Amino acid sequence: MTDDPGARFSEFLSRLTEALGPKGVSTDTQEIEPHLNDWRGRWKGSTPVLVKPASTEEVSKAMALCAEYGLAVNPQGGNSGMVNGSIPQGEVLISLKRMNHVREVDVLNDAMTLEAGVILTRAQEVADENGRLFPLSLGAQGVATIGGLIATNAGGAGVLRYGMMRDLVLGIEAVLPDGRVWNGLRGLRKDNTGYDLKQLFIGAEGTLGIVTAATLKLFPKPAVKETAWIIVESPAKAVELLQLAKAASGGAVTGFEIVPRFGLDLVLKHVPDVRDPLPSSADWRILMELSLPRVEGARDMIETLLGEAIVRGIAADAAVCGTEAQKAMVWKIRESVPIAERVHGKALKHDVSVPVSRVAEFMQRGAALARSMAPGVDIIAFGHVGDGNIHFNVTAPPGVDQDAFLNRDGLKVTEAIHDLIVSLNGSISAEHGIGRLKRDELAWRKPQVEMEMMRAVKKALDPDGRMNPGRIL
Ligand code: FAD
Ligand code: 2HG
Ligand code: ZN
C-alpha cells in the first residue's frame, strides 16, 4: 500500500469497485448530490464516494476495506432524519437502499424479516398482504427505511399502544466496523442468553455498525379503526380526554395527536386538497384513533365517549370520521404540519418529552418562556401528546434573519426550553435522536457515568471511532 493519500484512495476505490462491481460504487457528483442535503435544507455535506451494496456480503466487504484503509463511514437510509446524522461530513457514504428484499414472513410466529433498505410503507404492505399489522407509522414513511428507523429508534403515531421501534424488533443482522457480520436474526419472544446485543444497535444512530436486516414483530389487524377530530380548549383538556378514552375503550387508543390552531391554519394555507374538518376558533385539536377487534359496537363506543367528553366539558366539539376518505384527510392534516411549517419558515425544533401528567404545564410554561425571550415568535407545538412527546417548534421573530436566529439568539431559547424539560423530568430528544445537532448538549446534560458507559460501548465495538464520527458522542 502506498503512503500517498491520493494514491491510497484511488487504490481503495479500485478494490471497492472490484469487490462490489460498478453498480455498487459511484463518484458521480450528480448522483451523490441528493444524498448531501437534509429535507429541511438546513445542513449540507460532502463525500468522496457513494457505496451502494446490494447484499450483506457486499456491506461486509466495503466495511472491511474501509477498516483496512482507515476510512470513516456514514450509513444512510432514506435521509429523512432530523438531527444531522445521515449527511456525510467527508466520510465514505454507504446507502442501504439497494438492500430492499423481504427475506421471510413467518405468519405463525407473527414476524417478518426485512432488509435494511425496505421503506416503511412497503413493510406495512408486506404485513397487510399477510393478514397482519406492522404498526409503526410516521410522516416520512414513504422514504424512511427499516435500517434508519432502527438506527434512530423511531416513534411516530402508534407508540402509545405498540411502542417505539425498540419494542418492535425481535432480531438484527449487523455488520461491525471491521467487516464482521453478526447474524442475530432470531424471531424469539424469549431469549435470555446473555446481553441483549440487538438493543445496542437500536437508537445507536449508526455509531456502532451497519444494520443490514431485522426481524420485526407483527400484530393482528384491527377489524375497524374509528377516528375522530376533536376540539379542545387546552392541552390540559387533551390529557383529560386521553384518560377518558383509554378507560372507555379498554385501552384501544392507537393514536392521540395534538394539532394547534396555528398549525392547522398553516396546513390549510400551504398544503393542497385539505379542508378544516370542524371549523372553530378554539386553540387545539386532537386526532384520536381507536383500533378495535369488532365492527359491531365500535361506532357507538367512540360516539358515547365523545358525548360524555362534551357533557363533562372536556371536549368542546367533535366529529367522528364517517368514511375512509375523511380518516385519510384528518391524518393528512396531522402529518402535513412539518411540511407546512417548512414553507412558513425555518424553526428551532424541540423534540421533547415529559410525563403525560406534565404536558399541559410544559406547553404553558414553554410558550411563555419562548415568547418572553424572543417576542413575536410563532410557536408550532404539536404531535404525540398521548406519549408526552411534543414537537415544540419556534420560528424566528418577524424581521429577524432566520439563519442568524437559529444559530445565535435561538440557541439561548433552546437551552431555556431544554432546562425546563429537564426540570420536569423530561427528555431533550424524545424520538428523533441526537446526531450532530444535540451532541454537545448531550455531553454536558447526561450524568458523567452514563456518558462513560456509552463511550465504553463505543470503544468496544468501534475502537478506531470510524462509524459515524461526531454523532451522539
Ligand atoms: P436516515 O435519515 O438515512 O438516517 C438516520 C440515522 O440513522 C443516521 O445517523 C444514519 O447514519 C443512521 N442509519 C441509517 N441507516 C442505517 C443502517 N442501516 N444502519 C445503521 N445506521 C443507519 N421520526 C420519528 O421518530 N417519529 C416521527 O413521527 C417522525 N416523523 C417525521 C416526519 C417527517 C416529515 C420527516 C422528514 C421525518 C420524520 N421523522 C420522524 C424522522 C425520520 O423519519 C426518522 O428518524 C427515520 O427513522 C429515519 O429513517 P431514514 O431511513 O430516513 O434514516
Ligand atoms: C412528526 O411527528 C415528526 O410529524 C416531525 O416527528 C416533527 O417536524 C417536526 O418537528
Ligand atoms: Zn414526531
Side-chain angles (χ1 to χ4, degrees):
M1 207 190 285
T2 155
D3 281 343
D4 171 48
R8 267 172 67 83
F9 191 73
S10 300
E11 188 183 279
F12 163 75
L13 274 187
S14 68
R15 286 183 64 193
L16 188 66
T17 311
E18 202 179 303
L20 270 63
K23 275 193 186 160
V25 184
S26 174
T27 51
D28 173 356
T29 47
Q30 270 191 348
E31 186 182 355
I32 291 177
E33 177 59 26
H35 296 266
L36 304 181
N37 308 288
D38 71 299
W39 74 285
R40 235 169 169 289
R42 204 175 157 192
W43 302 296
K44 175 93 191 134
S46 69
T47 183
V49 59
L50 169 65
V51 188
K52 301 175 288 177
S55 66
T56 304
E57 195 191 349
E58 289 188 2
V59 176
S60 166
K61 285 180 183 167
M63 292 285 268
L65 278 170
C66 288
E68 189 179 331
Y69 285 81
L71 297 171
V73 172
N74 175 215
Q76 192 184 75
N79 195 16
S80 66
M82 309 279 262
V83 289
N84 196 4
S86 52
I87 301 152
Q89 303 296 319
E91 302 96 358
V92 170
L93 178 61
I94 301 192
S95 167
L96 278 299
K97 279 194 168 172
R98 284 178 74 209
M99 287 197 62
N100 58 4
H101 297 105
V102 176
R103 290 204 189 156
E104 188 191 16
V105 182
D106 185 348
V107 174
L108 287 184
N109 193 35
D110 285 315
M112 61 179 178
T113 301
L114 308 179
E115 289 186 344
V118 172
I119 295 201
L120 179 52
T121 42
R122 180 70 195 126
Q124 294 162 345
E125 275 166 20
V126 172
D128 191 57
E129 286 158 8
N130 285 278
R132 297 290 187 274
L133 172 78
F134 182 62
L136 195 77
S137 88
L138 44 83
Q141 61 195 21
V143 287
T145 61
I146 293 302
L149 294 157
I150 288 175
T152 59
N153 184 27
V159 172
L160 76 170
R161 169 77 169 272
Y162 299 103
M164 308 267 292
M165 196 57 170
R166 193 179 291 292
D167 305 297
L168 302 175
V169 176
L170 290 171
I172 270 182
E173 177 188 83
V175 176
L176 303 184
D178 59 11
R180 280 178 298 161
V181 178
W182 171 50
N183 185 337
L185 291 173
R186 299 173 194 127
L188 301 174
R189 259 84 184 167
K190 289 190 161 184
D191 178 17
N192 274 349
T193 51
Y195 300 147
D196 190 354
L197 293 174
K198 68 176 179 292
Q199 292 297 346
L200 282 182
F201 290 86
I202 307 174
E205 299 181 37
T207 58
L208 301 179
I210 297 192
V211 176
T212 46
T215 301
L216 303 169
K217 287 184 194 169
L218 297 173
F219 294 81
K221 274 204 262 188
V224 60
K225 287 182 180 178
E226 292 291 355
T227 311
W229 186 253
I230 305 155
I231 312 286
V232 290
E233 277 165 14
S234 64
K237 296 279 183 195
V239 172
E240 260 189 85
L241 176 65
L242 174 64
Q243 298 316 313
L244 176 73
K246 277 182 173 173
S249 70
V253 183
T254 45
F256 200 86
E257 300 281 314
I258 194 162
V259 176
R261 182 158 52 100
F262 184 64
L264 171 64
D265 288 345
L266 289 182
V267 172
L268 294 172
K269 187 170 168 194
H270 298 301
V271 178
D273 305 324
V274 284
R275 56 170 187 77
D276 189 346
L278 196 55
S280 158
S281 59
D283 281 338
W284 301 95
R285 276 97 185 119
I286 295 293
L287 193 179
M288 183 173 79
E289 180 190 82
L290 307 184
S291 294
L292 296 153
R294 269 187 301 282
V295 177
E296 303 76 50
R299 183 59 56 85
D300 272 1
M301 177 190 281
I302 194 164
E303 285 179 354
T304 306
L305 90 81
L306 288 174
E308 186 184 339
I310 291 172
V311 168
R312 286 172 51 188
I314 297 171
D317 202 354
V320 177
C321 298
T323 62
E324 292 306 309
Q326 286 171 0
K327 291 177 194 172
M329 168 72 79
V330 293
W331 275 111
K332 182 172 179 184
I333 292 173
R334 155 62 187 95
E335 299 295 15
S336 298
V337 174
I339 292 147
E341 181 200 287
R342 177 174 59 174
V343 182
H344 182 62
K346 292 188 176 163
L348 298 168
K349 285 195 166 280
H350 306 106
D351 163 37
V352 293
S353 62
V354 290
V356 174
S357 50
R358 307 197 84 171
V359 163
E361 180 185 356
F362 165 67
M363 297 282 251
Q364 191 268 320
R365 289 176 62 187
L369 195 58
R371 293 212 158 92
S372 71
M373 291 182 76
V377 290
D378 292 321
I379 295 172
I380 305 154
F382 67 100
H384 322 292
V385 64
D387 312 319
N389 173 196
I390 302 297
H391 298 302
F392 192 87
N393 299 341
V394 180
T395 64
V400 173
D401 179 80
Q402 294 186 1
D403 286 314
F405 177 70
L406 254 52
N407 296 318
R408 276 206 312 270
D409 292 352
L411 299 179
K412 292 182 206 134
V413 177
T414 291
E415 191 173 331
I417 295 293
H418 286 176
D419 284 346
L420 173 61
I421 283 293
V422 171
S423 77
L424 296 171
N425 289 328
S427 168
I428 62 160
S429 177
E431 60 171 8
H432 295 158
I434 298 296
R436 292 160 55 82
L437 180 69
K438 296 182 183 171
R439 174 199 180 218
D440 293 346
E441 190 171 351
L442 187 79
W444 65 264
R445 284 203 189 265
K446 275 250 185 214
Q448 200 186 334
V449 65
E450 212 170 326
M451 290 304 294
E452 282 167 8
M453 286 194 289
M454 293 212 300
R455 286 192 191 109
V457 171
K458 169 82 174 166
K459 190 90 189 147
L461 289 184
D462 182 22
D464 305 324
R466 290 182 303 98
M467 279 309 304
N468 260 356
R471 281 79 167 176
I472 302 186
L473 291 173

